[in-house]
Amino acid sequence: SVPDLLLEGVRLSIEVDFDKAEAHFRNIPDVEGVAPVPPTPMLSWLKERERMTIIKNRPTGELECTLFKSHAEHLRDLIDQGTLDGDLAGAVLGDSGARVASGQVAAVRPEVPE
């Protein structure tokens, strides 16, 4: 775990690999007797972060609306079955609120560095 790595007078380097959705921790300089830590998975955290970012940018209450959720899930089902396609399917798939409401989260890699 990360707290086991923290030593007085030693810096901690954190490298995040967004392609693999994992973080790597290491001491700088290397400390004798301290084994390297395996990569820490971050996929669930990144997905939840993306979901919360989308929720924050949507109209208040939209994603809590039962009607909105059921319509988003229904449209997603139609797309999965192949009965809804074209521009309307593209609009549904491109709408971040509909993705979150139907349980689909987009890529977890940030588009722009923060």
Side-chain angles (χ1 to χ4, degrees):
S1 70
V2 176
D4 294 339
L5 293 174
L6 300 178
L7 300 173
E8 185 75 29
V10 177
R11 292 190 175 121
L12 179 67
S13 167
I14 302 171
E15 298 172 359
V16 178
D17 184 338
F18 286 104
D19 294 326
K20 294 181 180 177
E22 60 188 22
H24 302 266
F25 300 90
R26 65 185 177 93
N27 291 310
I28 300 176
D30 289 331
V31 177
E32 289 184 33
V34 176
V37 176
T40 302
M42 296 182 59
L43 185 60
S44 60
W45 181 84
L46 289 167
K47 283 185 176 182
E48 184 62 19
R49 181 176 180 272
E50 174 69 13
R51 190 180 78 80
M52 292 308 295
T53 301
I54 291 169
I55 289 172
K56 183 175 69 174
N57 294 323
R58 299 301 295 187
T60 305
E62 177 187 74
L63 298 176
E64 288 80 34
C65 175
T66 307
L67 183 61
F68 180 79
K69 284 182 178 181
S70 64
H71 280 251
E73 290 168 0
H74 176 67
L75 292 171
R76 185 66 191 211
D77 289 342
L78 292 176
I79 292 169
D80 291 343
Q81 295 167 8
T83 56
L84 180 64
D85 58 6
D87 291 341
L88 183 55
V92 172
L93 294 173
D95 184 87
S96 57
R99 283 196 321 266
V100 169
S102 63
Q104 307 292 320
V105 179
V108 295
R109 183 184 183 124
E111 295 295 320
V112 178
E114 296 178 0

